[in-house]
Amino acid sequence: MFALEFPSIDNLVKWPEYLFEGTFAGFNKISLILVLAMLIPTVLFLLAKRDLVPRGIQNIVESIVEFVENQIIMAAIGPEGMKYLPLLLSIFLFVFFGNIFEVIPTFQMPANARMANPLILAVVVWVTFIGAGIKAQGFGGFMKSSLVPPGTPAALLPLMMLIEFISTFLLRPFGLAVRLFANMLAGHILLVTFGVLCITLWTLSPLVVVLPFSFGMLVALTGFEMMVAFLQAFIFALLAAVYINLSIHAH
Amino acid sequence: MSLLLIIAAEGPAKEADNPILPVVPELFWSALTFAAFFLLIKFVLLPPVKRTMDLRAEAIRSDLDAAEAAKASASSAAGDVDDQLAGARAEAAAVIDAARSEAETERQSILAQANAEVAKMKELAEADLAAARSQAMDQVRPKVAELATSAASKAMDRTIDVEAARPIVDSYLSNSN
């Protein structure tokens, strides 16, 4: 009678395809969120006026651009990193709007709670920081600065190079992708858990007195997830900038 | 009782893969939408926003420079005014000193002139006084001589010639002065 029937993980993260079912372009809720994560900031940028004294949406758009410039690029790379503004701004906005659908009614699913989007973005960052490193230091210089820590004894070089290779070229993108994916999936499961708990308590009359506490937690966690949505976008873009900075500068 | 969440109402997707692993359609849409978004940001959306922000930064920088120049100019003008004020004060002090010195000289001159005039007037007055006295003596002397001679005549009970006694009376009067 008091059993809590929790939906399976497949019910939480897998969505049926609405269009192109069964093809490589099968369009489901995640795809829709990704399209919206592209369209919403695009519309915001298009609606922003070009006044010297900013108002309304222009304020929001310019604040976002300034945030990425000052808190991500200047903090992690410096003035020379400004050429990466389009990429880092795209990553920040795409991750944020992909995440924020976690708390938007009827969607209530972050696109980044599926591995595909974090993986694609991590691959983009991976390609970018390798390309930036090769461009800045040349292939040999980049590989040397990436794989050979300064002051490494000759005897330890093979081992260190192996460790650095795994760390730089495999774990960095993997860590980027998994951090975002795991955080958003955990948040999603947390919200679902309290949602299920609220529904269950509502239908179990003896325990309905506990419902306000559970509902309060659900509301609080929804606010928390909004913060996480922003924080994960910021961390992803900041780490991308840090990796680019590490690539373009030799030890 | 069976519970289903709103978010789970659509039911699971067909594939029974590991839910953690990425699936090809989502990879495709992710790559497509991000690539489109990046290209839009880079070539369409960001440049005008950056241009506006740069224009504003330039306008602010220009205004700040102008304000700084105006401040420097005002500071310089204030310095000039201070210099002019100090010069005027020094000039005024010099004029005052010169005037004071001139006045002192004038005062001394007037004082000396007045003293000289006073001395001259004093001399004249003394001369007038002496002349008046002499004139008075001259007028009084015959009467005194007559009076003295008359008195002496009565006292001595004999007639004394006034003219003979005049030198004696004159000598007496002269000595009594």
Side-chain angles (χ1 to χ4, degrees), chain B residues 8-9 35 42 78 92 96 118 129 143 154 159:
Chain B
K42 186 172 174 63
I96 288 168
V118 166
L129 189 62
K143 299 290 181 187
K154 283 182 182 170
T159 304

Side-chain angles (χ1 to χ4, degrees), chain A residues 17-57:
Chain A
E17 292 170 349
Y18 312 124
L19 299 168
F20 316 122
E21 196 176 341
T23 67
F24 71 97
F27 193 87
N28 61 6
K29 182 188 260 191
I30 301 298
S31 315
L32 177 62
I33 292 170
L34 291 172
V35 171
L36 290 174
M38 176 194 75
L39 286 180
I40 292 172
T42 300
V43 170
L44 277 179
F45 269 75
L46 289 175
L47 288 178
K49 291 182 178 170
R50 310 282 179 255
D51 296 338
L52 273 186
V53 180
R55 279 189 300 272
I57 294 174

Side-chain angles (χ1 to χ4, degrees), chain B residues 25-64:
Chain B
E26 289 177 9
L27 286 170
F28 168 77
W29 282 106
S30 174
L32 183 71
T33 49
F34 181 73
F37 185 54
F38 170 68
L39 292 174
L40 275 171
I41 284 279
K42 186 172 174 63
F43 295 110
V44 180
L45 303 175
L46 186 58
V49 173
K50 277 296 289 174
R51 206 174 304 122
T52 307
M53 291 170 73
D54 291 344
L55 275 174
R56 184 185 307 119
E58 185 56 40
I60 290 171
R61 200 176 303 119
S62 165
D63 287 351
L64 282 176

Side-chain angles (χ1 to χ4, degrees), chain A residues 99-230:
Chain A
N99 288 346
I100 202 68
F101 279 90
E102 162 79 81
V103 295
I104 294 177
T106 73
F107 287 97
Q108 288 170 313
M109 172 72 199
N112 295 311
R114 297 286 286 153
M115 193 59 184
N117 195 47
L119 186 66
I120 290 291
L121 294 177
V123 168
V124 168
V125 172
W126 183 74
V127 170
T128 303
F129 80 71
I130 290 175
I134 292 172
K135 190 177 175 188
Q137 305 181 56
F139 183 76
F142 171 63
M143 293 309 285
K144 188 184 172 195
S145 72
S146 300
L147 301 180
V148 184
T152 306
L156 286 177
L157 264 181
L159 180 63
M160 289 304 294
M161 285 174 70
L162 179 66
I163 292 171
E164 288 294 322
F165 179 82
I166 293 170
S167 163
T168 304
F169 295 104
L170 300 180
L171 291 184
R172 274 185 192 176
F174 182 74
L176 264 183
V178 169
R179 181 183 300 105
L180 176 60
F181 163 69
N183 270 289
M184 296 321 295
L185 181 62
H188 180 57
I189 291 174
L190 205 58
L191 289 188
V192 169
T193 303
F194 276 89
V196 169
L197 195 58
C198 284
I199 294 169
T200 307
L201 290 172
W202 180 254
T203 56
L204 298 175
S205 54
L207 291 175
V208 78
V209 289
V210 191
L211 178 60
F213 301 104
S214 181
F215 184 72
M217 277 301 291
L218 182 61
V219 172
L221 283 171
T222 301
F224 179 73
E225 280 305 310
M226 290 167 75
M227 187 195 74
V228 169
F230 165 78

